[in-house]
Amino acid sequence: MHLQRTVLFAGMAASLFLAAGWATAAEGPATAQASQAKAQAAKPAGDTVQAQLEASNWVPDGKADAPRVIYTFTDPNCKYCHKFWEAARPWVDAGKVQLRHILVGVIRDDSPAKAAAILQAPDRASALMEHEKKSAQGGIAPAFSVSPDVRKTLEAHRKLMMSLGFRGTPGIVVIDSQGGTKSYGGMPRDAALPEVFGAL
């Protein structure tokens, strides 16, 4: 889902984004400044969102000590999720960004089983990397079975994604080195990538 399509659910999500003090890429400068001002008064809400994201069963991609952390709700069958993964490579490889993939299974019937193949793997980071590198061939093979715990995890991730106002993937939350947050619904435009990933 391209960033422009965030307008479809912007009305539903606007109150939550403003309550958390987030500025989306679709906002103009004046709105973004107002949102940042509200972040000062609503920091506990922002802290709660960060705590919820941190507590999810995310899969790491990049160095643990990277100065910028980006949470992304990722469906294994989402082509825009893969495009976001590809776009992030220069920053991840340079140690500037750690992506934290919060896997969901919402796009196709086999999405939960593909997500389970990653979440149930002995090395989840390697399984995610295998999936992304095989994207052109359909990605990782779906798990033969999905454990009850993983089903609960995927449902919890779906509910968290919806509660944050995301109606599709990728749903992106950036946490910068100062602890500030910004959200992006869908694949950001190329011109917005330096804002999303920070300095390279």
Side-chain angles (χ1 to χ4, degrees), residues 86-164:
E86 284 186 315
R89 290 305 93 199
W91 285 268
V92 171
D93 293 344
K96 301 287 187 178
V97 166
Q98 183 188 53
L99 295 183
R100 295 180 176 181
H101 295 266
I102 303 175
L103 293 173
V104 294
V106 296
I107 291 182
R108 296 181 188 163
D109 289 343
D110 68 348
S111 290
K114 284 187 175 181
I118 297 169
L119 291 173
Q120 294 172 176
D123 184 339
R124 298 183 307 156
S126 293
L128 175 69
M129 186 67 68
E130 174 193 346
H131 168 70
E132 297 294 354
K133 288 184 175 180
K134 291 181 176 178
S135 176
Q137 292 78 43
I140 198 167
F144 181 74
S145 63
V146 181
S147 72
D149 285 347
V150 168
R151 289 188 186 278
K152 288 179 183 177
T153 293
L154 292 175
E155 178 60 13
H157 288 177
R158 185 192 68 80
K159 288 180 177 178
L160 178 59
M161 180 178 75
M162 298 293 284
S163 76
L164 297 181

Side-chain angles (χ1 to χ4, degrees), residues 21 32 34 55 58 73 87 98 125 136 141-142 166-167 194 196:
W58 46 270
F73 289 93
Q98 183 188 53
F166 297 119
R167 297 295 181 265
V196 175

